[in-house]
Every structure is written in C-alpha cells, then in structure tokens.
Amino acid sequence: MNISPTEAEEALAVIQSMMKKTRRAISSSGAYAFLFIWGFVWLLGFLGSQFLSQEISGYNWIVLDSLGGILSAVIGIRMGRGVRSASLVTSGKRIGIFWFLLFLYAAATVAISWPAGGKQLAMYIILFVMVGWLAMGLLLSFYAIWPGLVITALALVSYFLLPDIFYLIMAILGGGGMIALGLYIRLRW
C-alpha cells in the first residue's frame, strides 16, 4: 500500500487534531482539580511527615486525606451532574468503585504487613495511588501515565537512596509536581 506525501500529511493532521481535542476535553472536564487537591494533600502531608513528630504527622495525614476525599467526592459528583450520557455516568461510577476497591486492597496490604514504619506505609500508599493513576491513564489518556511513572521512580529512588529526605522529596516533587501538572493541564491544554 502506497501513501502519497499529501495523504500522509492529512492523516497526521487528523491524528494531531484528535489529540488536541482529547487534551481539551480533559482540561475542560475539570479533572485538573483532582491534581490540585491531591497535590496539596501530598505537599502538606509529606512536609508534616518530614518536620513534625510522628504522632502529629499521623493526625495531619488523617485530616488532609479526609478533606481530600470529601473534596474529590464533591467535585466528582458535580462533574457527574453535567454529564448527560448514560455510558459516561456508568464509567464514572466504575472509576469510583475502582478507586474504592484499590483503597481496600491498600488497607489490606498494610494490615498484612503490619507493623510497618512510616516510610514503608508511605511507599505502600504511593505505589497503590500510582497503580490507580496508571490504570486511569491507560483508560482515559495514554499521556497521563508518564507523570505517574515519574512520581513512582522519584519515590523509589528517594526511598532507597535518600531516605533522610524522602518525605521532603515527595512533598516538593510529588505534591508540587501534581500541582504543576494540574496548572499545566488547566492553562495549556
């Protein structure tokens, strides 16, 4: 099968147009808000883990995770109300169930491996969240897997090679990275 240069250019233009439409759809959906929420949760939570006592840090995480969960649920429900397609509503429910089940599996993993240190618990949670991120990226937009892979790599490198500043790295590069990605999606897509 021979394709002329003109046909090849037209096919590439169609592909680029579809990629641009996909990015705009993701940006206009408000999905970036989840990156803001959880970026701030990670930023404040990991900073607390680095600089506060373990007990206070634990309470800090409970409050931050609770607020992040509530805000995510509210935003997800509001985004769902704007959807008119039954298949998209069903997909949204399935995504919510997926994250709930992933949370249960993470809790089961922690319970099985208890007692675990603070950094081990943080790595369990990071790895489970990144598995969820990668699954959503593969489902919704292939480009979304790259930040998840980068955060996973940063977490593993800092956990094994820089354990004294692991929490600080996760706060700045993990949480800050999510916030920066949310801003990028909102402003540039």
Side-chain angles (χ1 to χ4, degrees), residues 24-146:
R24 283 189 190 144
I26 291 169
S27 177
S28 66
S29 73
Y32 62 88
F34 296 105
L35 289 168
F36 288 156
I37 291 168
W38 291 102
F40 278 109
V41 167
W42 278 35
L43 179 70
L44 298 174
F46 283 117
L47 283 175
S49 294
Q50 183 73 39
F51 297 112
L52 300 174
S53 72
Q54 189 172 4
E55 182 180 356
I56 294 172
S57 174
Y59 290 122
N60 184 42
W61 274 109
I62 291 170
V63 169
L64 290 168
D65 285 338
S66 298
L67 287 173
I70 291 167
L71 286 172
S72 293
V74 168
I75 289 172
I77 290 167
R78 285 188 177 174
M79 286 172 61
R81 286 183 184 155
V83 175
R84 293 193 173 99
S85 169
S87 65
L88 289 177
V89 170
T90 301
S91 295
K93 287 179 182 177
R94 288 181 180 168
I95 289 170
I97 291 168
F98 167 81
W99 280 102
F100 178 73
L101 291 173
L102 188 64
F103 171 78
L104 291 180
Y105 276 83
T109 301
V110 169
I112 290 168
S113 62
W114 195 261
K119 288 180 184 149
Q120 284 178 306
L121 292 173
M123 274 307 299
Y124 285 147
I125 293 167
I126 291 167
L127 291 174
F128 271 96
V129 168
M130 291 301 109
V131 165
W133 183 321
L134 295 175
M136 294 298 102
L138 291 171
L139 178 67
L140 302 172
S141 170
F142 188 72
Y143 293 105
I145 68 167
W146 296 110

